[in-house]
Amino acid sequence: MKSILIAAVLLACSFSLYAADVPDEDEIKSMTDKSLLDWNKAVQKEDFSKFYKEDCAKVWQQQVTAEKLKDSFKQYTEQKVDIASAVKDMEATFEPEPSIEKTGDFDVLTVKGYYDTKPSRLSFQLKYIEEEDEWKLVAVNVKVKPED
């Protein structure tokens, strides 16, 4: 009985010790660029099926469809918003620092920042969870608007 209790305590401790770590700056940059460029391709094609399949976490896929994502970003597809050059040619400023917070059963990585584009600023907020040793999106928020 005592050994079972010790094993259970050790197992519980190992789960609490294994919380996702914020990736290093290079990985954050790479993830952000990939996510935003994949999102941009979906906007350009007016088809979110590949983005949905490859970039979105399963838990998000259970809540929305590719068509619903397309509807969510309708203003961008209608206005032919194209952020590719900003993402490829500029460095993102991450503000605040990327962080992980527990949300329900998930460790959610929030990456928020902007590209200092002119005359309008491209800002973003991306949320990820780890799924099969890979960060997958659970939320995308992109804004292109004049600076205040």
Side-chain angles (χ1 to χ4, degrees):
M1 177 72 173
K2 189 174 183 180
S3 62
I4 292 173
L5 179 59
I6 291 171
V9 169
L10 288 174
L11 187 59
C13 288
S14 69
F15 279 124
S16 63
L17 289 176
Y18 179 73
D21 292 325
V22 174
D24 66 32
E25 187 175 337
D26 288 340
E27 187 176 355
I28 293 284
K29 166 99 173 87
S30 177
M31 290 167 49
T32 300
D33 287 354
K34 180 186 180 320
S35 295
L36 291 173
L37 289 172
D38 288 353
W39 175 85
N40 191 67
K41 284 180 195 169
V43 168
Q44 299 311 302
K45 292 181 178 182
E46 297 185 33
D47 181 358
F48 282 77
S49 56
K50 184 175 181 183
F51 176 78
Y52 176 82
K53 181 180 177 189
E54 295 178 4
D55 292 71
C56 300
K58 288 180 177 84
V59 68
W60 197 17
Q61 291 174 355
Q62 293 169 354
Q63 298 169 7
V64 299
T65 63
E67 196 60 35
K68 195 164 190 166
L69 276 179
K70 180 182 172 185
D71 290 344
S72 296
F73 295 111
K74 188 176 184 175
Q75 68 184 25
Y76 295 96
T77 58
E78 287 177 346
Q79 294 176 17
K80 305 292 185 201
V81 169
D82 189 351
I83 64 170
S85 62
V87 175
K88 288 178 184 175
D89 299 339
M90 301 181 83
E91 289 288 320
T93 299
F94 300 107
E95 198 173 275
E97 291 290 320
S99 63
I100 294 178
E101 291 185 22
K102 191 78 165 168
T103 303
D105 293 335
F106 300 101
D107 291 328
V108 178
L109 169 64
T110 300
V111 179
K112 189 173 183 177
Y114 62 90
Y115 293 86
D116 201 14
T117 52
K118 304 276 188 226
S120 298
R121 177 176 277 182
L122 166 60
S123 60
F124 59 87
Q125 180 173 319
L126 306 169
K127 292 190 178 203
Y128 300 88
I129 61 169
E130 265 191 312
E131 188 175 271
E132 299 171 10
D133 296 327
E134 189 176 352
W135 289 103
K136 294 286 193 167
L137 286 166
V138 291
V140 175
N141 187 345
V142 176
K143 291 183 182 168
V144 181
K145 65 179 187 170
E147 290 188 71
D148 297 328

